[in-house]
């Protein structure tokens, strides 16, 4: 939860990026100075030259009715009217019994008249918020049947506020109750501050309201999100399509699949609302598209996706291409990926793109993303939903151009550390599992069982190698397995070379090759010999040995260690 | 770091004044920026920093910084 002090610090560091100043008037039926302060800070953080006018305490009616009031002289662009239910409650208890029944109706009439008056004198946009739901426990759960129950009136007032917002074009209704519910009452209010200082919300909750409210206000100035860019493996479905296949990925009603299904349903609704969806995945395109085309449980289909980028290039470059095709600003894009390293490369290269720090557990993706209010909007029209189709045509036309990102800087910043060692007994199960599951980065696709692995590990003719990697975001664990076999007095054959695709394009192959060359020299083998056996799924590594500087002597690839100079990479041992 | 030193850091941040000198004898009257608004920010920051919560009776009793330090010390045990 954002706190007041942090918001203040952010505001101090912020830069003015919006040309048009923002004038906001705040009126409330309680002490609103902290709300005003928070809104001023939030406005600055959003890049606005922000001026806030705070009306005197509990003067909403007088300010609006009096044409000479400072409210009008200030010429606000936006007016926030903040009404605290706690204050209404105190006043309500003082009303004569015979007038309590019509309380909500009377109050709505009053607000309605005030807003009509205001709109006749000012073109400012008015933002009300719904009233905090309070059950004062006087009538308990009988509230709906008792015309003098305060709780009943609060619900009636909120329904009435919706009708006012529907009827008056200038009036919008901010969802305060949504925030209160998400953050919980213990964060919303500090009773000691309420009693002593008339603080109706806690200091920090003011910052939360202001942040979200400013996000909403910014949408009136054209600052809103238009595009959601999605990773696939472990983001839209559980598992890795390239390794686990159509039957293996998790989506649907069972187990963790439910989380991904519900996530996709939400995304589909956003698309229907007019948010453009793009896919950005490290995958072979045909493999990545298959679930969209054929998986019965997929909610999203290919025609929901405006731009589909599945390749092995850097994701920042792919986001650049998506931006070019859609012709929208980076600041209107949201990039969602479960992999912290991918998030980092996009953040570093394209700081304007919003990159949410997704929780590790997929069950939390949806709730977390909803809490960010990323897709707030000031308008909606029924034609918005056709947008995807227009862009799909555009995408087909567009020439794909990839820009080179500064990879060395990025790779260095990952602070990668590698461990290359012979098989350790404790790692054998994971080694066997990786050997069974890897399809894409797998040069010969030879499967060994766990006991065969153990036998290899103990044999003098084999040099088994496992590779572990970690970086500043965490430990990837055991990500690559190699089995080298003596096939001649001077030849060491690479029987198995597999690697997890999660660590592709990090230079792991180069670090491993340097290790292999050193091992060969140390064990008196002049040549390293490799082989690529094509399968339906390992197209990814067809040029693997060529890329590493091996020469092709049918059917094998050979590297002469006497002419080998170590490859450059950015991974520490 | 002793409590007074930590408290001084909080005062400087909340009051936005890096030159602020805070002693046990300091009162709200001695610090220009210490008004009712910054007092609320101060209490919130102190409670968060030391991970404790004060009752309103305790807060109202404080006459100077020294008493704040003692109250924090007593709570932290």
């Amino acid at each position: 939860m954002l706190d007041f002090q942090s918001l203040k610090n952010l505001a101090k560091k912020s830069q003015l990026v919006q040309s048009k100043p923002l004038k906001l008037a705040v009126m409330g039926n309680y002490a609103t100075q902290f709300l005003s302060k928070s809104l001023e800070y939030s406005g600055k953080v959003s890049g606005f030259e922000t001026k806030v006018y705070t009306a005197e305490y509990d003067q909403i009616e007088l300010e609006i009715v009096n044409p000479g009031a400072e409210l009008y002289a200030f010429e606000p662009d936006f007016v926030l009217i903040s009404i605290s239910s706690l204050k209404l409650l105190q006043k309500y208890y003082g009303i004569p019994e015979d007038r309590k029944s019509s309380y909500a109706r009377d109050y709505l009439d009053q607000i309605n008249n005030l807003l009509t008056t205001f709109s006749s004198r000012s073109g400012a946009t008015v933002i009300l918020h719904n009233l905090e739901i309070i059950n004062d426990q006087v009538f308990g759960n009988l509230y709906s049947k008792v015309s003098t129950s305060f709780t009943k009136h609060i619900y009636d007032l909120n329904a009435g506020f919706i009708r006012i917002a529907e009827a008056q074009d200038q009036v919008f209704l901010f969802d305060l109750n949504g925030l209160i519910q998400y953050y919980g009452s213990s964060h919303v209010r500090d009773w000691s501050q309420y009693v002593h200082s008339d603080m109706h919300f806690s200091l920090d909750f003011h910052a939360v309201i202001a942040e979200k409210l400013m996000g909403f206000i910014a949408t009136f100035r054209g600052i809103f999100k238009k595009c959601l860019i999605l990773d696939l493996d472990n983001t839209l479905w559980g598992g890795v399509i390239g390794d686990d296949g159509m039957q293996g990925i998790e989506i649907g009603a069972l187990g963790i699949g439910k989380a991904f299904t519900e996530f996709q349903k939400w995304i589909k609704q956003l698309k229907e609302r007019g948010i453009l969806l793009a896919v950005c995945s490290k995958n072979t395109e045909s493999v990545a598209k298959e679930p969209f085309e054929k998986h019965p449980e997929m909610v999203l289909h290919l025609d929901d996706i405006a731009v589909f980028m599945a390749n092995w290039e850097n994701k920042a470059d792919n986001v650049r291409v998506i931006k070019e095709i859609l012709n929208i600003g980076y600041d209107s894009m949201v990039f969602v990926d479960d992999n912290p390293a991918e998030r980092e490369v996009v953040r570093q290269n394209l700081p304007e793109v919003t990159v949410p720090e997704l929780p590790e557990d997929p069950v939390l993706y949806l709730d977390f993303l909803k809490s960010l209010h990323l897709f707030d909007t000031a308008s909606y029209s029924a034609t918005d939903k056709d947008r995807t189709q227009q862009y799909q045509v555009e995408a087909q036309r567009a020439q794909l151009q990839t820009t080179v990102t500064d990879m060395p800087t990025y790779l260095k910043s990952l602070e990668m550390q590698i461990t290359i060692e012979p098989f350790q007994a404790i790692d054998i199960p994971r080694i066997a599992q990786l050997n069974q599951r890897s399809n894409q980065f797998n040069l010969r696709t030879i499967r060994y069982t766990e006991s065969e692995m153990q036998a290899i590990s103990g044999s003098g003719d084999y040099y088994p190698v496992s590779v572990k990697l970690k970086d500043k975001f965490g430990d990837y664990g055991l990500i690559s397995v190699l089995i080298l076999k003596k096939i001649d007095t001077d030849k060491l054959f690479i029987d198995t070379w597999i690697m997890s695709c999660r660590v592709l394009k990090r230079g792991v192959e180069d670090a491993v090759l340097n290790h292999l060359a050193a091992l060969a020299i140390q064990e008196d083998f002049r040549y390293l010999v490799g082989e690529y056996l094509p399968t339906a799924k390992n197209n990814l590594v067809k040029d693997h040995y060529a890329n590493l500087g091996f020469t092709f002597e049918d059917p094998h690839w050979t590297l002469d260690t006497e002419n080998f100079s170590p490859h450059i990479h950015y991974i520490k041992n | 770091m002793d409590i007074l030193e930590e408290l001084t850091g909080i005062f400087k941040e909340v009051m936005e004044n890096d030159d602020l000198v805070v002693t046990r004898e300091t009162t709200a009257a001695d610090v220009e920026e210490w008004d009712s608004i910054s007092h609320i920010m101060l209490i919130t920051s102190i409670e968060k920093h030391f991970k404790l919560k004060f009752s309103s009776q305790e807060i109202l009793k404080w006459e100077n910084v020294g008493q704040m330090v003692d109250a924090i010390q007593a709570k932290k045990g």
Side-chain angles (χ1 to χ4, degrees):
Chain A
M1 173 167 147
L2 179 69
D3 63 86
F4 188 83
Q5 189 67 43
S6 308
L7 180 63
K8 188 174 157 189
N9 295 345
L10 281 173
K12 255 189 265 176
K13 279 185 273 172
S14 68
Q15 286 177 336
L16 199 66
V17 290
Q18 305 297 334
S19 49
K20 201 175 162 197
L22 183 75
K23 287 168 88 178
L24 171 66
V26 179
M27 299 192 282
N29 68 344
Y30 62 101
T32 54
Q33 68 269 43
F34 282 104
L35 186 58
S36 293
K37 264 277 165 250
S38 302
L39 284 162
E40 188 189 317
Y41 296 148
S42 296
K44 285 182 178 156
V45 172
S46 303
F48 293 107
E49 183 194 336
T50 313
K51 289 194 189 111
V52 178
Y53 164 69
T54 310
E56 291 293 313
Y57 177 86
D58 206 6
Q59 296 291 310
I60 301 170
E61 200 176 343
L62 275 175
E63 288 270 341
I64 290 177
V65 170
N66 175 11
E70 263 189 84
L71 169 67
Y72 296 109
F74 177 68
E75 296 186 325
D77 304 309
F78 295 89
V79 175
L80 170 67
I81 300 178
S82 181
I83 298 167
S84 163
S85 299
L86 286 177
K87 193 60 174 280
L88 295 185
L89 178 71
Q90 293 312 312
K91 288 190 178 169
Y92 182 81
Y93 287 163
I95 295 176
E97 279 304 304
D98 59 339
R99 282 180 48 205
K100 278 185 174 167
S101 299
S102 62
Y103 174 74
R105 201 169 57 233
D106 296 345
Y107 194 77
L108 284 169
D109 282 346
Q110 188 194 349
I111 292 282
N112 206 8
N113 289 337
L114 282 173
L115 292 177
T116 310
T117 304
F118 178 77
S119 295
S120 70
R121 293 175 182 167
S122 166
T125 299
V126 179
I127 302 175
L128 282 175
H129 59 70
N130 50 19
L131 299 170
E132 180 183 355
I133 298 293
I134 291 180
N135 189 326
D136 66 350
Q137 297 299 346
V138 172
F139 294 98
N141 286 302
L142 200 67
Y143 68 93
S144 65
K145 294 185 181 292
V146 182
S147 67
T148 56
S149 158
F150 178 76
T151 306
K152 174 191 180 296
H153 286 299
I154 282 289
Y155 278 98
D156 283 349
L157 284 169
N158 277 339
F161 277 15
I162 289 180
R163 288 195 301 274
I164 290 173
E166 273 176 333
Q168 299 200 28
D169 290 346
Q170 260 174 286
V171 179
F172 294 80
L173 190 58
F174 180 79
D175 183 19
L176 177 68
N177 278 305
L179 284 185
I180 293 173
Q181 185 195 21
Y182 184 78
Y183 290 97
S185 59
S186 62
H187 290 112
V188 166
R189 185 165 294 112
D190 181 318
W191 288 108
S192 170
Q193 289 174 353
Y194 168 71
V195 169
H196 293 296
S197 317
D198 199 35
M199 296 268 288
H200 283 232
F201 302 108
S202 73
L203 184 62
D204 292 340
F205 193 61
H206 285 107
V208 171
I209 298 175
E211 184 196 32
K212 304 302 191 200
L213 196 67
M214 193 51 66
F216 183 47
I217 287 174
T219 66
F220 288 84
R221 292 284 171 90
I223 303 162
F224 53 87
K225 303 301 175 196
K226 297 173 184 159
C227 171
L228 174 57
I229 304 170
L230 298 154
D231 172 50
L232 299 179
D233 293 331
N234 289 313
T235 300
L236 276 195
W237 54 66
V240 178
I241 183 68
D243 291 330
D244 302 327
M246 286 277 280
Q247 282 75 39
I249 58 168
E250 290 178 289
I251 180 143
L254 291 174
I256 190 74
K258 183 176 165 189
F260 293 102
T261 299
E262 294 192 358
F263 187 38
Q264 286 199 18
K265 283 184 179 170
W266 181 66
I267 293 168
K268 178 106 171 178
Q269 292 299 309
L270 289 176
K271 179 251 163 186
E272 295 294 328
R273 205 208 82 192
I275 297 293
L276 297 164
L277 305 182
V279 162
C280 181
S281 166
K282 282 193 172 162
N283 257 312
T284 303
E285 188 173 341
S286 58
V287 175
K289 282 187 169 169
E290 209 185 345
F292 288 87
E293 292 161 338
K294 295 180 191 154
H295 201 294
E297 304 274 17
M298 280 289 287
V299 179
L300 294 170
H301 301 287
L302 280 184
D303 58 8
D304 295 318
I305 312 294
V307 186
F308 201 105
M309 301 294 288
N311 52 48
W312 301 96
E313 300 303 318
N314 173 320
K315 289 209 175 186
D317 289 340
N318 278 319
V319 172
R320 285 193 180 101
V321 174
I322 293 167
K323 181 216 178 269
E324 288 304 314
I325 294 173
L326 298 179
N327 195 22
I328 55 175
Y330 287 122
D331 59 353
S332 66
M333 304 173 103
V334 178
F335 177 86
V336 172
D337 198 309
D338 69 298
N339 185 333
E342 302 294 1
R343 296 200 293 263
E344 188 68 7
V345 75
V346 172
R347 266 192 211 120
Q348 276 186 16
N349 288 284
L350 307 168
E352 286 175 80
V353 175
T354 299
V355 183
E357 196 55 27
L358 215 57
E360 262 181 57
D361 188 343
V363 303
L364 301 174
Y365 289 174
L366 184 52
D367 189 54
F368 170 74
L369 286 174
K370 284 198 274 193
S371 79
L372 301 180
H373 293 203
L374 287 170
F375 299 102
D376 224 341
T377 181
S379 69
Y380 169 72
S381 79
T383 56
D384 286 354
K385 63 177 192 295
D386 302 329
R387 217 176 272 151
T388 300
Q389 217 187 344
Q390 300 157 18
Y391 281 103
Q392 277 169 340
V393 178
E394 190 66 27
Q396 283 159 3
R397 279 197 212 113
Q399 285 287 325
L400 303 196
Q401 241 181 13
T402 39
T403 331
V404 179
T405 300
D406 183 6
M407 279 309 277
T409 308
Y410 165 65
L411 290 173
K412 268 180 228 160
S413 77
L414 287 177
E415 296 164 21
M416 291 181 283
Q417 258 194 306
I418 201 165
T419 307
I420 308 177
E421 60 189 356
F423 288 1
Q424 307 295 307
I426 192 168
D427 292 331
I428 296 280
R430 165 66 184 152
I431 288 166
Q433 184 205 30
L434 196 63
N435 176 257
Q436 290 298 326
R437 278 192 42 170
S438 297
N439 292 314
Q440 302 186 89
F441 196 114
N442 195 338
L443 273 302
R444 294 180 70 243
T445 321
I446 311 287
R447 313 283 193 200
Y448 295 108
T449 64
E450 210 172 304
S451 56
E452 284 169 327
M453 282 290 186
Q454 246 138 12
I456 288 169
S457 188
S459 156
D461 285 340
Y462 288 92
Y463 298 88
V465 175
S466 75
V467 183
K468 293 170 187 167
L469 185 75
K470 54 184 165 187
D471 64 22
K472 67 176 175 183
F473 297 111
D475 197 340
Y476 290 88
L478 201 152
I479 43 92
S480 184
V481 172
L482 295 97
I483 297 169
L484 295 105
K485 188 182 178 187
K486 175 183 175 179
I487 52 165
D488 209 336
T489 49
D490 61 350
K491 287 195 181 76
L492 201 50
F493 179 65
I494 305 168
D495 171 89
T496 293
W497 191 337
I498 56 182
M499 192 174 85
S500 162
C501 288
R502 291 188 304 157
V503 297
L504 220 55
K505 301 248 171 182
R506 300 281 195 87
V508 173
E509 304 94 306
D510 297 299
V512 169
L513 181 67
N514 290 352
H515 177 89
L516 295 188
L519 176 76
I521 292 165
Q522 183 197 319
E523 300 288 325
D524 280 333
F525 295 102
R526 181 169 171 180
Y527 300 102
L528 279 171
V529 180
E531 186 183 31
Y532 167 67
L533 296 177
T535 68
K537 285 181 170 174
N538 72 352
N539 194 45
L540 172 70
V541 288
K542 74 173 172 0
D543 298 323
H544 176 68
Y545 287 118
N547 291 341
L548 289 177
F550 284 60
T551 44
F552 190 57
E553 291 158 32
D554 203 19
H556 291 154
W557 293 86
T558 306
L559 185 82
D560 184 350
T561 58
E562 284 192 5
N563 302 321
F564 177 75
S565 48
H567 288 208
I568 293 167
H569 60 79
Y570 303 95
I571 310 174
K572 291 196 184 109
N573 283 309
Chain B
M1 219 193 300
D2 74 349
I3 290 173
L4 184 61
E5 215 174 310
E6 290 181 60
L7 215 48
T8 304
I10 296 171
F11 268 83
K12 285 179 177 175
E13 191 178 21
V14 169
M15 310 294 175
E16 293 182 64
N17 181 350
D18 283 341
D19 304 323
L20 208 62
V21 179
V22 180
T23 67
R24 285 187 61 90
E25 285 70 41
T26 304
T27 69
D30 304 324
V31 181
E32 198 194 327
E33 300 90 343
W34 193 347
D35 56 17
S36 60
I37 289 180
S38 52
H39 186 71
I40 288 169
M41 292 166 61
L42 200 59
I43 303 292
T44 303
S45 290
I46 290 169
E47 288 182 335
K48 229 183 283 180
H49 180 90
F50 292 101
K51 298 188 175 63
L52 37 83
K53 200 93 183 131
F54 294 106
S55 74
S56 41
Q57 282 85 350
E58 288 172 299
I59 294 168
L60 290 173
K61 266 192 292 188
W62 296 340
E63 281 163 10
N64 58 27
V65 171
Q67 292 179 8
M68 293 169 91
V69 172
D70 295 341
I72 294 165
Q73 185 71 63
K75 283 250 161 172
K76 285 182 61 153

